[in-house]
Amino acid sequence: MDTQNPIFLTNSKTRKKERFVPIDPKNVRLYLCGPTVYDRAHLGNARPVLVFDVLQRLLRHVYGADHVTYVRNFTDVDDKINATAMARKEAGAQGTLEELVHERSSETIDWYHQDMDALGAARPDHEPRATEYIDQMVTMIADLIAKGHAYEAKGHVLFRVRSYKDYGQLSGRSVDDMIAGARVEVAPFKEDPMDFVLWKPSTDDLPGWPSPWGRGRPGWHIECSAMADDLLWKKPLKQGRLSDAALARPHEFDIHGGGNDLTFPHHENEIAQSCCAHSDNANEVGFANVWLHNEMLQVEGKKMSKSLGNFFTVRDLLDQGIPGEVIRFVMLSTHYRKPMDWTEKKAQHANSTLDSFVSQTVNMEPAKDIPVEFLEALADDLNTSKAITVLYSLAKAKRFDELLASLLFLGFDFSTLDGGWVGNNTSRALEELVFELEKLRAEAMETKDFSQVDRLKTALIDAGVEVRMSKAGVELVSGPNFDAAKLEGL
């Protein structure tokens, strides 16, 4: 597929859709900025997870399951986590503040896993916690100071933004424009308003770690730089898993991404500090080769916010009885580079569609090969919307084994669904209606009165069910316009 149907991705850094060419086809490496684990994941948090889940599935298909390394981190150094830990300590909880922070983070990470698992998202190869990589962050900060890209001031260490000549390339703005339009933290010890924190001091009532600059904790941006470099460069280097092509591009990897709200300042700062930490006077080193950013999420046409009363978590929807597969289907129905609008109508449509697909593929073996048109859609900048259109075409053409193979590829594994899934209930309901229709037809053959048969057939067709009657028996197949609610009462 890579030669005949190459993968194209929109690179945020170049603002172009480009052919994806991995640094090393036998070791494709990608990094997604993960959640800050202080509470349940809201619906918007799920979008980059699903985008990268589809991406890593496609990459593993093209380059081999063992030739892709996918990292998604957990940020467990945060003031909101600290506040929860301090409240627990004041309430009498045993343990140090660091231990209570770890306890709270572990609890939230477990919630996150449960919710993302319910959406069918495969877990990454590595899920590092920031607190496990403090030593690597301290080493990177020390390198930046030694090279003149960072400085210590009143227990803080700050990055000199103007020391990196390409700062602003990702977001497309100059430093002066950023100062004029951005909310920057004003501090008397900063050399420049745009300089950002790499390390900050911790008081006795806050979690902290030892460093050359005193007890403290890292800034947000340095965390991802250190974890990405350790897991996507240093670790495979020690294991001897890097090709000559990869060794020629030290500290670089293939794809980095997240929501477009991270473009500035988080990703911009990651690029600056990483390139400066690993470059020297003779050689300049890059960072991520491709930057992938998804658009934001709306609810019923409005920005999701607590003030509007339309803010909810993934768990809220799951607890309402909305299957994770429905949430996944709605999310993937919109291209990742377009705003995604969650609506009740879309959820209902997704429910009916998946219900139809389940009934069409029940007890069927998936096709050995994934349909070419389906793969081509995904290879065209992860066009999941177009891929879903292909699913409808496969169903209409009765290519049900290929439909099932495509659904499985896209992360819809119906075999793992628990009893709450409407598709299972509907499949059983259709089976019962098959028996009912066969019974009515047998009676009609005796009485010559087919009015009851016609009545049930009309009701089924109205519900979007295709009725197939032959000498061999009756077969009911839910079609593209299937409405499970209309089966009730039949």
Side-chain angles (χ1 to χ4, degrees), residues 95-394:
T96 65
L97 202 56
E98 286 82 1
E99 289 170 341
L100 292 174
V101 165
H102 188 272
E103 179 184 283
R104 172 60 174 173
S105 299
S106 297
E107 178 182 57
T108 311
I109 288 170
D110 185 50
W111 291 345
Y112 186 83
H113 278 148
Q114 292 174 27
D115 294 347
M116 296 306 112
D117 288 352
L119 301 186
R123 297 196 186 180
D125 300 289
H126 302 284
E127 294 183 286
R129 295 186 184 204
T131 52
E132 297 169 345
Y133 287 79
I134 299 296
D135 289 345
Q136 290 88 336
M137 297 175 205
V138 168
T139 298
M140 184 175 278
I141 294 169
D143 286 345
L144 287 167
I145 292 175
K147 293 175 180 176
H149 294 292
Y151 58 95
E152 182 184 1
K154 297 188 180 298
H156 295 73
V157 180
L158 297 110
F159 181 84
R160 285 190 176 95
V161 165
R162 293 185 190 271
S163 73
Y164 179 57
K165 61 182 178 60
D166 291 328
Y167 193 86
Q169 188 178 92
L170 181 67
S171 55
R173 293 176 289 179
S174 70
V175 174
D176 292 330
D177 287 341
M178 292 180 192
I179 293 175
R183 291 175 294 177
V184 295
E185 183 183 356
V186 178
F189 49 80
K190 281 188 177 185
E191 293 179 356
D192 188 289
M194 284 300 293
D195 292 351
F196 59 86
V197 172
L198 299 171
W199 188 265
K200 53 189 173 184
S202 288
T203 57
D204 292 339
D205 60 347
L206 287 172
W209 292 264
S211 81
W213 319 287
R215 182 177 177 275
R217 58 197 193 279
W220 174 33
H221 313 301
I222 197 68
E223 298 173 12
C224 287
S225 285
M227 289 185 280
D229 190 60
D230 193 85
L231 291 167
L232 296 177
W233 169 256
K234 291 177 181 174
K235 186 173 181 177
L237 180 66
K238 290 176 183 176
Q239 295 172 340
R241 294 194 296 112
L242 295 177
S243 66
D244 290 343
L247 291 172
R249 296 172 66 173
H251 303 283
E252 294 186 28
F253 57 94
D254 295 293
I255 304 171
H256 194 324
N260 65 0
D261 57 327
L262 298 182
T263 304
F264 179 83
H266 185 51
H267 289 161
E268 194 79 73
N269 291 351
E270 273 192 76
I271 293 171
Q273 65 201 8
S274 296
C275 291
C276 290
H278 303 307
S279 299
D280 54 39
N281 292 330
N283 300 293
E284 289 190 0
V285 174
F287 185 43
N289 200 21
V290 176
W291 285 86
L292 210 68
H293 291 99
N294 62 271
E295 262 287 354
M296 294 294 97
L297 178 135
Q298 299 174 330
V299 176
E300 302 290 350
K302 297 180 180 179
K303 182 179 179 181
M304 187 169 72
S305 70
K306 291 181 179 179
S307 62
L308 293 175
N310 65 351
F311 179 94
F312 45 83
T313 66
V314 172
R315 179 52 49 180
D316 289 335
L317 293 180
L318 294 172
D319 287 346
Q320 290 170 22
I322 299 176
E325 287 74 18
V326 167
I327 300 172
R328 185 183 185 91
F329 193 92
V330 173
M331 289 273 197
L332 298 183
S333 295
T334 301
H335 192 280
Y336 78 92
R337 294 185 61 244
K338 295 181 179 180
M340 210 295 292
D341 191 16
W342 174 272
T343 68
E344 185 177 341
K345 185 176 180 181
K346 284 183 180 179
Q348 291 172 348
H349 176 72
N351 205 65
S352 295
T353 299
L354 287 171
D355 197 63
S356 172
F357 290 160
V358 167
S359 66
Q360 290 167 332
T361 58
V362 67
N363 299 324
M364 181 175 290
E365 288 294 319
K368 183 179 179 181
D369 297 321
I370 309 297
V372 172
E373 61 266 43
F374 176 82
L375 290 174
E376 286 178 342
L378 293 182
D380 183 14
D381 200 19
L382 289 183
N383 196 336
T384 54
S385 177
K386 187 176 180 179
I388 286 175
T389 300
V390 174
L391 296 182
Y392 288 114
S393 299
L394 294 172

Side-chain angles (χ1 to χ4, degrees), residues 57 114 116-122 323-325 328 358 404 407-408 410-422 424:
R57 290 170 189 268
Q114 292 174 27
M116 296 306 112
D117 288 352
L119 301 186
E325 287 74 18
R328 185 183 185 91
V358 167
L404 180 57
L407 285 164
L408 294 172
L410 210 51
F412 296 97
D413 187 359
F414 300 131
S415 66
T416 64
L417 297 173
D418 45 31
W421 170 244
V422 69
N424 289 343

